[in-house]
Amino acid sequence: MEQYEKDVINARENKLDQRFANSIIEHARILTKEIIFDANKKVCILSDSFNEFFYSKLEENIENFLKKDNANIFELIVSNEQKENKLIQRFQKDFPTQFQVKFISEDKFPTDNDTKERVNYIVNDNNAFRYEYSDKNIQHGVVNAIANFNHAQDSKILSDMFEEIKQAS
C-alpha cells in the first residue's frame, strides 16, 4: 500500500500521464485524496451514494481545499436518496457557496458500457480523474476503477458529462 501511495503522489507531483488500476477501497481513498489536493479551483464528483464512511475519512482534505481559496468550488451530483447525508449537510452549511450539490434520481446516472453499472467518478480542473465502473462487490471492499493525473482528453469527457447531467436534471 505504501508503494502504491508513493507512485500516486509521484504521478500527481510530476503530472505523469499514467493509469492507475484501483481495485480496493484504500486505493480509492488515496486517489481521491490526491485528486482533491491536485485541483486548482474545482473538483466535481458524480456519486450515487457519497458514502459517509468513505468520505468522512477525506473530510479534512475537502475542507482544506475549500478553505484554501474562497473561489474554490466543490460540485457534487448525488442520488436523491442522499438528501439526509450528514456529511453533505455539514459541507453545505459550512461552505454554502462553495459546496454545490445537485440531487438527481438514480435512473439519471450514466452506466458503464461494459459493466452496465452506474458509474461514479471524481474529476478536477487539472486533468486528473478517477473513474469507477463497478462497485458490485463494494461490501467486500472491492471496486473497479482507473485513475490518471494528467490525461486531458478523458478528464474533458468526464467534465463535459458532469455538466450535461447537471444541466439536464
PDB file of all heavy atoms in Angstrom, residues 38-73:
ATOM      1  N   ASP A  38      -4.712  17.933  -5.821  1.00  0.00           N
ATOM      2  CA  ASP A  38      -4.178  18.360  -7.120  1.00  0.00           C
ATOM      3  C   ASP A  38      -4.994  19.467  -7.784  1.00  0.00           C
ATOM      4  O   ASP A  38      -4.490  20.186  -8.634  1.00  0.00           O
ATOM      5  CB  ASP A  38      -4.115  17.136  -8.053  1.00  0.00           C
ATOM      6  CG  ASP A  38      -3.547  17.458  -9.413  1.00  0.00           C
ATOM      7  OD1 ASP A  38      -2.367  17.851  -9.489  1.00  0.00           O
ATOM      8  OD2 ASP A  38      -4.293  17.323 -10.406  1.00  0.00           O
ATOM      9  N   ALA A  39      -6.242  19.621  -7.400  1.00  0.00           N
ATOM     10  CA  ALA A  39      -7.139  20.578  -8.069  1.00  0.00           C
ATOM     11  C   ALA A  39      -6.653  22.012  -7.922  1.00  0.00           C
ATOM     12  O   ALA A  39      -6.114  22.400  -6.880  1.00  0.00           O
ATOM     13  CB  ALA A  39      -8.543  20.450  -7.503  1.00  0.00           C
ATOM     14  N   ASN A  40      -6.871  22.782  -8.976  1.00  0.00           N
ATOM     15  CA  ASN A  40      -6.577  24.212  -8.922  1.00  0.00           C
ATOM     16  C   ASN A  40      -7.713  24.961  -8.238  1.00  0.00           C
ATOM     17  O   ASN A  40      -7.526  25.598  -7.213  1.00  0.00           O
ATOM     18  CB  ASN A  40      -6.368  24.781 -10.324  1.00  0.00           C
ATOM     19  CG  ASN A  40      -5.097  24.279 -10.961  1.00  0.00           C
ATOM     20  OD1 ASN A  40      -4.068  24.178 -10.321  1.00  0.00           O
ATOM     21  ND2 ASN A  40      -5.186  23.935 -12.230  1.00  0.00           N
ATOM     22  N   LYS A  41      -8.906  24.890  -8.816  1.00  0.00           N
ATOM     23  CA  LYS A  41     -10.058  25.660  -8.319  1.00  0.00           C
ATOM     24  C   LYS A  41     -11.347  24.847  -8.230  1.00  0.00           C
ATOM     25  O   LYS A  41     -12.323  25.317  -7.657  1.00  0.00           O
ATOM     26  CB  LYS A  41     -10.338  26.862  -9.239  1.00  0.00           C
ATOM     27  CG  LYS A  41      -9.252  27.912  -9.254  1.00  0.00           C
ATOM     28  CD  LYS A  41      -9.374  28.791  -8.050  1.00  0.00           C
ATOM     29  CE  LYS A  41      -8.354  29.895  -8.048  1.00  0.00           C
ATOM     30  NZ  LYS A  41      -8.180  30.463  -6.739  1.00  0.00           N
ATOM     31  N   LYS A  42     -11.359  23.632  -8.845  1.00  0.00           N
ATOM     32  CA  LYS A  42     -12.643  22.939  -8.940  1.00  0.00           C
ATOM     33  C   LYS A  42     -12.482  21.427  -8.866  1.00  0.00           C
ATOM     34  O   LYS A  42     -11.594  20.855  -9.491  1.00  0.00           O
ATOM     35  CB  LYS A  42     -13.328  23.312 -10.261  1.00  0.00           C
ATOM     36  CG  LYS A  42     -14.736  22.821 -10.398  1.00  0.00           C
ATOM     37  CD  LYS A  42     -15.352  23.385 -11.673  1.00  0.00           C
ATOM     38  CE  LYS A  42     -16.790  22.980 -11.822  1.00  0.00           C
ATOM     39  NZ  LYS A  42     -17.378  23.513 -13.051  1.00  0.00           N
ATOM     40  N   VAL A  43     -13.381  20.807  -8.104  1.00  0.00           N
ATOM     41  CA  VAL A  43     -13.497  19.359  -8.004  1.00  0.00           C
ATOM     42  C   VAL A  43     -14.953  19.006  -8.274  1.00  0.00           C
ATOM     43  O   VAL A  43     -15.864  19.650  -7.727  1.00  0.00           O
ATOM     44  CB  VAL A  43     -13.095  18.849  -6.598  1.00  0.00           C
ATOM     45  CG1 VAL A  43     -13.382  17.363  -6.452  1.00  0.00           C
ATOM     46  CG2 VAL A  43     -11.641  19.153  -6.300  1.00  0.00           C
ATOM     47  N   CYS A  44     -15.167  18.000  -9.116  1.00  0.00           N
ATOM     48  CA  CYS A  44     -16.524  17.522  -9.406  1.00  0.00           C
ATOM     49  C   CYS A  44     -16.598  16.037  -9.071  1.00  0.00           C
ATOM     50  O   CYS A  44     -15.728  15.263  -9.480  1.00  0.00           O
ATOM     51  CB  CYS A  44     -16.860  17.710 -10.880  1.00  0.00           C
ATOM     52  SG  CYS A  44     -16.825  19.416 -11.438  1.00  0.00           S
ATOM     53  N   ILE A  45     -17.654  15.662  -8.354  1.00  0.00           N
ATOM     54  CA  ILE A  45     -17.869  14.260  -8.025  1.00  0.00           C
ATOM     55  C   ILE A  45     -19.274  13.865  -8.442  1.00  0.00           C
ATOM     56  O   ILE A  45     -20.255  14.532  -8.085  1.00  0.00           O
ATOM     57  CB  ILE A  45     -17.675  13.976  -6.523  1.00  0.00           C
ATOM     58  CG1 ILE A  45     -16.217  14.197  -6.124  1.00  0.00           C
ATOM     59  CG2 ILE A  45     -18.120  12.555  -6.175  1.00  0.00           C
ATOM     60  CD1 ILE A  45     -15.904  13.917  -4.666  1.00  0.00           C
ATOM     61  N   LEU A  46     -19.354  12.770  -9.177  1.00  0.00           N
ATOM     62  CA  LEU A  46     -20.620  12.120  -9.507  1.00  0.00           C
ATOM     63  C   LEU A  46     -20.648  10.846  -8.684  1.00  0.00           C
ATOM     64  O   LEU A  46     -19.774   9.985  -8.840  1.00  0.00           O
ATOM     65  CB  LEU A  46     -20.684  11.791 -11.003  1.00  0.00           C
ATOM     66  CG  LEU A  46     -21.901  10.989 -11.458  1.00  0.00           C
ATOM     67  CD1 LEU A  46     -23.138  11.876 -11.445  1.00  0.00           C
ATOM     68  CD2 LEU A  46     -21.675  10.412 -12.839  1.00  0.00           C
ATOM     69  N   SER A  47     -21.586  10.744  -7.754  1.00  0.00           N
ATOM     70  CA  SER A  47     -21.618   9.604  -6.844  1.00  0.00           C
ATOM     71  C   SER A  47     -23.054   9.227  -6.520  1.00  0.00           C
ATOM     72  O   SER A  47     -23.830  10.069  -6.071  1.00  0.00           O
ATOM     73  CB  SER A  47     -20.888   9.961  -5.541  1.00  0.00           C
ATOM     74  OG  SER A  47     -21.012   8.928  -4.605  1.00  0.00           O
ATOM     75  N   ASP A  48     -23.391   7.970  -6.734  1.00  0.00           N
ATOM     76  CA  ASP A  48     -24.750   7.564  -6.407  1.00  0.00           C
ATOM     77  C   ASP A  48     -24.970   7.514  -4.900  1.00  0.00           C
ATOM     78  O   ASP A  48     -26.084   7.621  -4.432  1.00  0.00           O
ATOM     79  CB  ASP A  48     -25.136   6.242  -7.075  1.00  0.00           C
ATOM     80  CG  ASP A  48     -24.186   5.095  -6.777  1.00  0.00           C
ATOM     81  OD1 ASP A  48     -23.170   5.303  -6.099  1.00  0.00           O
ATOM     82  OD2 ASP A  48     -24.464   3.978  -7.259  1.00  0.00           O
ATOM     83  N   SER A  49     -23.878   7.417  -4.102  1.00  0.00           N
ATOM     84  CA  SER A  49     -24.094   7.307  -2.658  1.00  0.00           C
ATOM     85  C   SER A  49     -23.351   8.337  -1.809  1.00  0.00           C
ATOM     86  O   SER A  49     -23.778   8.609  -0.703  1.00  0.00           O
ATOM     87  CB  SER A  49     -23.677   5.915  -2.176  1.00  0.00           C
ATOM     88  OG  SER A  49     -22.276   5.766  -2.247  1.00  0.00           O
ATOM     89  N   PHE A  50     -22.254   8.904  -2.265  1.00  0.00           N
ATOM     90  CA  PHE A  50     -21.396   9.765  -1.434  1.00  0.00           C
ATOM     91  C   PHE A  50     -21.314   9.161  -0.024  1.00  0.00           C
ATOM     92  O   PHE A  50     -21.703   9.750   0.971  1.00  0.00           O
ATOM     93  CB  PHE A  50     -21.902  11.206  -1.386  1.00  0.00           C
ATOM     94  CG  PHE A  50     -20.831  12.203  -0.969  1.00  0.00           C
ATOM     95  CD1 PHE A  50     -19.816  12.543  -1.838  1.00  0.00           C
ATOM     96  CD2 PHE A  50     -20.844  12.787   0.281  1.00  0.00           C
ATOM     97  CE1 PHE A  50     -18.822  13.448  -1.465  1.00  0.00           C
ATOM     98  CE2 PHE A  50     -19.861  13.697   0.667  1.00  0.00           C
ATOM     99  CZ  PHE A  50     -18.848  14.018  -0.214  1.00  0.00           C
ATOM    100  N   ASN A  51     -20.802   7.939  -0.002  1.00  0.00           N
ATOM    101  CA  ASN A  51     -20.738   7.115   1.192  1.00  0.00           C
ATOM    102  C   ASN A  51     -20.096   7.862   2.358  1.00  0.00           C
ATOM    103  O   ASN A  51     -18.940   8.292   2.284  1.00  0.00           O
ATOM    104  CB  ASN A  51     -19.944   5.838   0.868  1.00  0.00           C
ATOM    105  CG  ASN A  51     -19.850   4.898   2.020  1.00  0.00           C
ATOM    106  OD1 ASN A  51     -19.094   5.134   2.955  1.00  0.00           O
ATOM    107  ND2 ASN A  51     -20.625   3.832   1.956  1.00  0.00           N
ATOM    108  N   GLU A  52     -20.837   8.025   3.441  1.00  0.00           N
ATOM    109  CA  GLU A  52     -20.356   8.794   4.590  1.00  0.00           C
ATOM    110  C   GLU A  52     -19.122   8.181   5.227  1.00  0.00           C
ATOM    111  O   GLU A  52     -18.220   8.909   5.653  1.00  0.00           O
ATOM    112  CB  GLU A  52     -21.470   8.953   5.627  1.00  0.00           C
ATOM    113  CG  GLU A  52     -22.535   9.930   5.192  1.00  0.00           C
ATOM    114  CD  GLU A  52     -23.598  10.150   6.245  1.00  0.00           C
ATOM    115  OE1 GLU A  52     -23.286  10.815   7.254  1.00  0.00           O
ATOM    116  OE2 GLU A  52     -24.731   9.678   6.057  1.00  0.00           O
ATOM    117  N   PHE A  53     -19.056   6.871   5.298  1.00  0.00           N
ATOM    118  CA  PHE A  53     -17.885   6.220   5.887  1.00  0.00           C
ATOM    119  C   PHE A  53     -16.632   6.522   5.055  1.00  0.00           C
ATOM    120  O   PHE A  53     -15.595   6.890   5.592  1.00  0.00           O
ATOM    121  CB  PHE A  53     -18.094   4.705   6.000  1.00  0.00           C
ATOM    122  CG  PHE A  53     -16.906   3.984   6.554  1.00  0.00           C
ATOM    123  CD1 PHE A  53     -16.593   4.063   7.912  1.00  0.00           C
ATOM    124  CD2 PHE A  53     -16.079   3.233   5.734  1.00  0.00           C
ATOM    125  CE1 PHE A  53     -15.476   3.413   8.430  1.00  0.00           C
ATOM    126  CE2 PHE A  53     -14.965   2.583   6.241  1.00  0.00           C
ATOM    127  CZ  PHE A  53     -14.669   2.666   7.584  1.00  0.00           C
ATOM    128  N   PHE A  54     -16.749   6.388   3.734  1.00  0.00           N
ATOM    129  CA  PHE A  54     -15.611   6.641   2.845  1.00  0.00           C
ATOM    130  C   PHE A  54     -15.206   8.110   2.883  1.00  0.00           C
ATOM    131  O   PHE A  54     -14.045   8.445   3.111  1.00  0.00           O
ATOM    132  CB  PHE A  54     -15.970   6.225   1.409  1.00  0.00           C
ATOM    133  CG  PHE A  54     -14.878   6.493   0.411  1.00  0.00           C
ATOM    134  CD1 PHE A  54     -13.844   5.595   0.249  1.00  0.00           C
ATOM    135  CD2 PHE A  54     -14.899   7.639  -0.374  1.00  0.00           C
ATOM    136  CE1 PHE A  54     -12.827   5.834  -0.675  1.00  0.00           C
ATOM    137  CE2 PHE A  54     -13.892   7.889  -1.299  1.00  0.00           C
ATOM    138  CZ  PHE A  54     -12.854   6.980  -1.448  1.00  0.00           C
ATOM    139  N   TYR A  55     -16.158   9.018   2.667  1.00  0.00           N
ATOM    140  CA  TYR A  55     -15.824  10.441   2.561  1.00  0.00           C
ATOM    141  C   TYR A  55     -15.518  11.100   3.905  1.00  0.00           C
ATOM    142  O   TYR A  55     -14.832  12.121   3.948  1.00  0.00           O
ATOM    143  CB  TYR A  55     -16.915  11.199   1.791  1.00  0.00           C
ATOM    144  CG  TYR A  55     -16.799  10.958   0.314  1.00  0.00           C
ATOM    145  CD1 TYR A  55     -17.620  10.042  -0.331  1.00  0.00           C
ATOM    146  CD2 TYR A  55     -15.840  11.620  -0.453  1.00  0.00           C
ATOM    147  CE1 TYR A  55     -17.492   9.795  -1.692  1.00  0.00           C
ATOM    148  CE2 TYR A  55     -15.702  11.390  -1.797  1.00  0.00           C
ATOM    149  CZ  TYR A  55     -16.532  10.472  -2.423  1.00  0.00           C
ATOM    150  OH  TYR A  55     -16.394  10.228  -3.764  1.00  0.00           O
ATOM    151  N   SER A  56     -15.979  10.521   5.006  1.00  0.00           N
ATOM    152  CA  SER A  56     -15.629  11.103   6.307  1.00  0.00           C
ATOM    153  C   SER A  56     -14.119  11.009   6.544  1.00  0.00           C
ATOM    154  O   SER A  56     -13.540  11.847   7.227  1.00  0.00           O
ATOM    155  CB  SER A  56     -16.398  10.433   7.440  1.00  0.00           C
ATOM    156  OG  SER A  56     -15.989   9.087   7.589  1.00  0.00           O
ATOM    157  N   LYS A  57     -13.480  10.025   5.949  1.00  0.00           N
ATOM    158  CA  LYS A  57     -12.026   9.894   6.068  1.00  0.00           C
ATOM    159  C   LYS A  57     -11.298  10.895   5.167  1.00  0.00           C
ATOM    160  O   LYS A  57     -10.091  11.057   5.270  1.00  0.00           O
ATOM    161  CB  LYS A  57     -11.596   8.470   5.751  1.00  0.00           C
ATOM    162  CG  LYS A  57     -12.131   7.467   6.767  1.00  0.00           C
ATOM    163  CD  LYS A  57     -11.495   6.129   6.603  1.00  0.00           C
ATOM    164  CE  LYS A  57     -12.023   5.068   7.507  1.00  0.00           C
ATOM    165  NZ  LYS A  57     -12.187   5.323   8.866  1.00  0.00           N
ATOM    166  N   LEU A  58     -12.044  11.578   4.289  1.00  0.00           N
ATOM    167  CA  LEU A  58     -11.484  12.603   3.407  1.00  0.00           C
ATOM    168  C   LEU A  58     -12.008  13.993   3.759  1.00  0.00           C
ATOM    169  O   LEU A  58     -11.726  14.966   3.066  1.00  0.00           O
ATOM    170  CB  LEU A  58     -11.836  12.282   1.944  1.00  0.00           C
ATOM    171  CG  LEU A  58     -11.238  10.980   1.414  1.00  0.00           C
ATOM    172  CD1 LEU A  58     -11.909  10.573   0.124  1.00  0.00           C
ATOM    173  CD2 LEU A  58      -9.744  11.121   1.233  1.00  0.00           C
ATOM    174  N   GLU A  59     -12.750  14.074   4.840  1.00  0.00           N
ATOM    175  CA  GLU A  59     -13.397  15.315   5.256  1.00  0.00           C
ATOM    176  C   GLU A  59     -12.391  16.463   5.387  1.00  0.00           C
ATOM    177  O   GLU A  59     -12.619  17.570   4.902  1.00  0.00           O
ATOM    178  CB  GLU A  59     -14.104  15.061   6.587  1.00  0.00           C
ATOM    179  CG  GLU A  59     -15.086  16.095   6.991  1.00  0.00           C
ATOM    180  CD  GLU A  59     -15.929  15.634   8.174  1.00  0.00           C
ATOM    181  OE1 GLU A  59     -15.830  14.471   8.615  1.00  0.00           O
ATOM    182  OE2 GLU A  59     -16.706  16.482   8.657  1.00  0.00           O
ATOM    183  N   GLU A  60     -11.269  16.196   6.028  1.00  0.00           N
ATOM    184  CA  GLU A  60     -10.253  17.224   6.213  1.00  0.00           C
ATOM    185  C   GLU A  60      -9.671  17.678   4.865  1.00  0.00           C
ATOM    186  O   GLU A  60      -9.421  18.868   4.664  1.00  0.00           O
ATOM    187  CB  GLU A  60      -9.133  16.687   7.114  1.00  0.00           C
ATOM    188  CG  GLU A  60      -8.080  17.712   7.450  1.00  0.00           C
ATOM    189  CD  GLU A  60      -7.013  17.159   8.385  1.00  0.00           C
ATOM    190  OE1 GLU A  60      -7.295  16.208   9.143  1.00  0.00           O
ATOM    191  OE2 GLU A  60      -5.887  17.679   8.336  1.00  0.00           O
ATOM    192  N   ASN A  61      -9.496  16.745   3.925  1.00  0.00           N
ATOM    193  CA  ASN A  61      -8.968  17.102   2.608  1.00  0.00           C
ATOM    194  C   ASN A  61      -9.932  18.000   1.849  1.00  0.00           C
ATOM    195  O   ASN A  61      -9.513  18.981   1.215  1.00  0.00           O
ATOM    196  CB  ASN A  61      -8.687  15.840   1.787  1.00  0.00           C
ATOM    197  CG  ASN A  61      -7.770  14.891   2.511  1.00  0.00           C
ATOM    198  OD1 ASN A  61      -8.231  13.950   3.160  1.00  0.00           O
ATOM    199  ND2 ASN A  61      -6.475  15.136   2.443  1.00  0.00           N
ATOM    200  N   ILE A  62     -11.208  17.683   1.920  1.00  0.00           N
ATOM    201  CA  ILE A  62     -12.232  18.500   1.256  1.00  0.00           C
ATOM    202  C   ILE A  62     -12.269  19.891   1.892  1.00  0.00           C
ATOM    203  O   ILE A  62     -12.278  20.911   1.209  1.00  0.00           O
ATOM    204  CB  ILE A  62     -13.614  17.816   1.320  1.00  0.00           C
ATOM    205  CG1 ILE A  62     -13.598  16.505   0.531  1.00  0.00           C
ATOM    206  CG2 ILE A  62     -14.712  18.757   0.800  1.00  0.00           C
ATOM    207  CD1 ILE A  62     -14.811  15.618   0.749  1.00  0.00           C
ATOM    208  N   GLU A  63     -12.259  19.905   3.210  1.00  0.00           N
ATOM    209  CA  GLU A  63     -12.299  21.173   3.942  1.00  0.00           C
ATOM    210  C   GLU A  63     -11.075  22.032   3.623  1.00  0.00           C
ATOM    211  O   GLU A  63     -11.203  23.242   3.391  1.00  0.00           O
ATOM    212  CB  GLU A  63     -12.370  20.878   5.438  1.00  0.00           C
ATOM    213  CG  GLU A  63     -12.833  22.040   6.257  1.00  0.00           C
ATOM    214  CD  GLU A  63     -13.159  21.608   7.680  1.00  0.00           C
ATOM    215  OE1 GLU A  63     -14.065  20.773   7.853  1.00  0.00           O
ATOM    216  OE2 GLU A  63     -12.485  22.130   8.588  1.00  0.00           O
ATOM    217  N   ASN A  64      -9.900  21.439   3.600  1.00  0.00           N
ATOM    218  CA  ASN A  64      -8.678  22.192   3.280  1.00  0.00           C
ATOM    219  C   ASN A  64      -8.742  22.776   1.871  1.00  0.00           C
ATOM    220  O   ASN A  64      -8.312  23.911   1.654  1.00  0.00           O
ATOM    221  CB  ASN A  64      -7.439  21.306   3.424  1.00  0.00           C
ATOM    222  CG  ASN A  64      -7.114  20.996   4.866  1.00  0.00           C
ATOM    223  OD1 ASN A  64      -7.587  21.663   5.781  1.00  0.00           O
ATOM    224  ND2 ASN A  64      -6.320  19.962   5.071  1.00  0.00           N
ATOM    225  N   PHE A  65      -9.259  22.012   0.928  1.00  0.00           N
ATOM    226  CA  PHE A  65      -9.405  22.515  -0.438  1.00  0.00           C
ATOM    227  C   PHE A  65     -10.324  23.735  -0.465  1.00  0.00           C
ATOM    228  O   PHE A  65     -10.011  24.749  -1.091  1.00  0.00           O
ATOM    229  CB  PHE A  65      -9.943  21.412  -1.363  1.00  0.00           C
ATOM    230  CG  PHE A  65     -10.365  21.907  -2.710  1.00  0.00           C
ATOM    231  CD1 PHE A  65      -9.419  22.287  -3.657  1.00  0.00           C
ATOM    232  CD2 PHE A  65     -11.712  22.022  -3.038  1.00  0.00           C
ATOM    233  CE1 PHE A  65      -9.809  22.764  -4.905  1.00  0.00           C
ATOM    234  CE2 PHE A  65     -12.102  22.487  -4.277  1.00  0.00           C
ATOM    235  CZ  PHE A  65     -11.152  22.865  -5.217  1.00  0.00           C
ATOM    236  N   LEU A  66     -11.444  23.658   0.231  1.00  0.00           N
ATOM    237  CA  LEU A  66     -12.404  24.762   0.233  1.00  0.00           C
ATOM    238  C   LEU A  66     -11.875  25.977   0.997  1.00  0.00           C
ATOM    239  O   LEU A  66     -12.144  27.115   0.613  1.00  0.00           O
ATOM    240  CB  LEU A  66     -13.740  24.295   0.795  1.00  0.00           C
ATOM    241  CG  LEU A  66     -14.475  23.278  -0.083  1.00  0.00           C
ATOM    242  CD1 LEU A  66     -15.653  22.668   0.668  1.00  0.00           C
ATOM    243  CD2 LEU A  66     -14.919  23.900  -1.391  1.00  0.00           C
ATOM    244  N   LYS A  67     -11.119  25.751   2.057  1.00  0.00           N
ATOM    245  CA  LYS A  67     -10.565  26.860   2.839  1.00  0.00           C
ATOM    246  C   LYS A  67      -9.377  27.523   2.165  1.00  0.00           C
ATOM    247  O   LYS A  67      -9.070  28.676   2.448  1.00  0.00           O
ATOM    248  CB  LYS A  67     -10.141  26.367   4.226  1.00  0.00           C
ATOM    249  CG  LYS A  67     -11.303  26.099   5.152  1.00  0.00           C
ATOM    250  CD  LYS A  67     -10.798  25.610   6.495  1.00  0.00           C
ATOM    251  CE  LYS A  67     -11.930  25.461   7.488  1.00  0.00           C
ATOM    252  NZ  LYS A  67     -11.452  24.926   8.778  1.00  0.00           N
ATOM    253  N   LYS A  68      -8.707  26.799   1.281  1.00  0.00           N
ATOM    254  CA  LYS A  68      -7.501  27.316   0.621  1.00  0.00           C
ATOM    255  C   LYS A  68      -7.783  28.590  -0.161  1.00  0.00           C
ATOM    256  O   LYS A  68      -6.972  29.503  -0.196  1.00  0.00           O
ATOM    257  CB  LYS A  68      -6.936  26.229  -0.307  1.00  0.00           C
ATOM    258  CG  LYS A  68      -5.633  26.590  -0.976  1.00  0.00           C
ATOM    259  CD  LYS A  68      -4.966  25.402  -1.661  1.00  0.00           C
ATOM    260  CE  LYS A  68      -5.841  24.738  -2.684  1.00  0.00           C
ATOM    261  NZ  LYS A  68      -5.144  23.682  -3.425  1.00  0.00           N
ATOM    262  N   ASP A  69      -8.976  28.678  -0.746  1.00  0.00           N
ATOM    263  CA  ASP A  69      -9.337  29.843  -1.558  1.00  0.00           C
ATOM    264  C   ASP A  69     -10.861  29.921  -1.597  1.00  0.00           C
ATOM    265  O   ASP A  69     -11.527  28.939  -1.935  1.00  0.00           O
ATOM    266  CB  ASP A  69      -8.766  29.679  -2.969  1.00  0.00           C
ATOM    267  CG  ASP A  69      -8.950  30.909  -3.833  1.00  0.00           C
ATOM    268  OD1 ASP A  69      -9.949  31.644  -3.652  1.00  0.00           O
ATOM    269  OD2 ASP A  69      -8.107  31.135  -4.718  1.00  0.00           O
ATOM    270  N   ASN A  70     -11.405  31.072  -1.267  1.00  0.00           N
ATOM    271  CA  ASN A  70     -12.869  31.238  -1.263  1.00  0.00           C
ATOM    272  C   ASN A  70     -13.487  31.049  -2.637  1.00  0.00           C
ATOM    273  O   ASN A  70     -14.697  30.887  -2.762  1.00  0.00           O
ATOM    274  CB  ASN A  70     -13.254  32.613  -0.709  1.00  0.00           C
ATOM    275  CG  ASN A  70     -13.083  32.681   0.794  1.00  0.00           C
ATOM    276  OD1 ASN A  70     -13.045  31.652   1.463  1.00  0.00           O
ATOM    277  ND2 ASN A  70     -12.965  33.886   1.316  1.00  0.00           N
ATOM    278  N   ALA A  71     -12.658  31.081  -3.689  1.00  0.00           N
ATOM    279  CA  ALA A  71     -13.162  30.874  -5.043  1.00  0.00           C
ATOM    280  C   ALA A  71     -13.193  29.389  -5.424  1.00  0.00           C
ATOM    281  O   ALA A  71     -13.742  29.029  -6.466  1.00  0.00           O
ATOM    282  CB  ALA A  71     -12.315  31.646  -6.053  1.00  0.00           C
ATOM    283  N   ASN A  72     -12.623  28.521  -4.594  1.00  0.00           N
ATOM    284  CA  ASN A  72     -12.628  27.088  -4.899  1.00  0.00           C
ATOM    285  C   ASN A  72     -14.046  26.532  -4.826  1.00  0.00           C
ATOM    286  O   ASN A  72     -14.819  26.888  -3.930  1.00  0.00           O
ATOM    287  CB  ASN A  72     -11.723  26.326  -3.936  1.00  0.00           C
ATOM    288  CG  ASN A  72     -10.260  26.516  -4.247  1.00  0.00           C
ATOM    289  OD1 ASN A  72      -9.898  27.214  -5.202  1.00  0.00           O
ATOM    290  ND2 ASN A  72      -9.408  25.902  -3.457  1.00  0.00           N
ATOM    291  N   ILE A  73     -14.350  25.656  -5.766  1.00  0.00           N
ATOM    292  CA  ILE A  73     -15.690  25.068  -5.872  1.00  0.00           C
ATOM    293  C   ILE A  73     -15.588  23.549  -5.813  1.00  0.00           C
ATOM    294  O   ILE A  73     -14.760  22.946  -6.490  1.00  0.00           O
ATOM    295  CB  ILE A  73     -16.372  25.473  -7.212  1.00  0.00           C
ATOM    296  CG1 ILE A  73     -16.499  26.990  -7.335  1.00  0.00           C
ATOM    297  CG2 ILE A  73     -17.723  24.775  -7.384  1.00  0.00           C
ATOM    298  CD1 ILE A  73     -17.452  27.626  -6.334  1.00  0.00           C
TER     299      ILE A  73
END
